[in-house]
Amino acid sequence: MIPFPNNTAITASDGPLGISDKRLLHLRSVGRRAADLSRELFGFSPEKQRSMFVLGFLHDIGYEYTTDQRQHEHIGGDILAFMGMDGWQAIYDHGDPDIEEMSDELIILNMADMQTDGYGRPVTAEERLADIKTRYGEGSEQFVRANHLLDNLRRQLAARGKDPRLI
């Protein structure tokens, strides 16, 4: 059993969803997109760009330890926090449409995730949203949250003087 900072515990017997080969393609592409966005949008240093690749690559690590996809963000963030890794908060908060003030790292991570499909291919946010709608349904929690997340990302970009149409 692995204890995490928020007092959750995950055991192998819980039957986690795991990380498939397909998800690995998604993780690698989100990492690459996050590195690119960190340079393009915020002018991050090469070292910070590399750290954004790692955050993008690890953003869905929580799938390895959860049976419920809605918990993967928090579990992933907890894993990184437990390890003392910078950036754990962005992993913990990614996909949450209700974060009022996103860090630059969280904006980048969410944008990269919403611009990469499940096979690691680059897509527009609208294409990603359409895919979520097809897989889960228009009234699903996943689709509603993704819609709200896109709206919030556009507000966050505009507040920083960035073009909200970038997402």
Side-chain angles (χ1 to χ4, degrees), residues 52-127:
M52 287 307 305
F53 170 83
V54 171
L55 286 181
F57 189 77
L58 294 177
H59 82 283
D60 281 346
I61 195 71
Y63 276 110
E64 190 66 18
Y65 297 100
T66 187
T67 58
D68 182 346
Q69 73 174 12
R70 295 170 296 179
Q71 297 174 351
H72 82 276
E73 304 96 335
H74 292 171
I75 290 172
D78 286 345
I79 291 167
L80 269 61
F82 184 76
M83 295 174 66
M85 291 182 68
D86 290 340
W88 70 267
Q89 190 71 49
I91 301 284
Y92 188 92
D93 288 335
H94 87 275
D96 185 341
D98 299 321
I99 303 293
E100 291 185 28
E101 291 186 36
M102 292 185 188
S103 66
D104 294 347
E105 292 81 4
L106 182 55
I107 290 172
I108 291 165
L109 190 57
N110 279 323
M111 286 180 68
D113 196 19
M114 289 301 296
Q115 293 176 338
T116 307
D117 75 5
Y119 294 94
R121 297 177 297 222
V123 294
T124 66
E126 289 74 25
E127 290 170 328

Side-chain angles (χ1 to χ4, degrees), residues 36-64:
D36 290 345
L37 286 169
S38 71
R39 181 187 67 255
E40 295 165 7
L41 283 178
F42 296 103
F44 284 3
S45 69
E47 294 79 15
K48 185 70 173 178
Q49 291 171 40
R50 288 189 286 273
S51 72
M52 287 307 305
F53 170 83
V54 171
L55 286 181
F57 189 77
L58 294 177
H59 82 283
D60 281 346
I61 195 71
Y63 276 110
E64 190 66 18

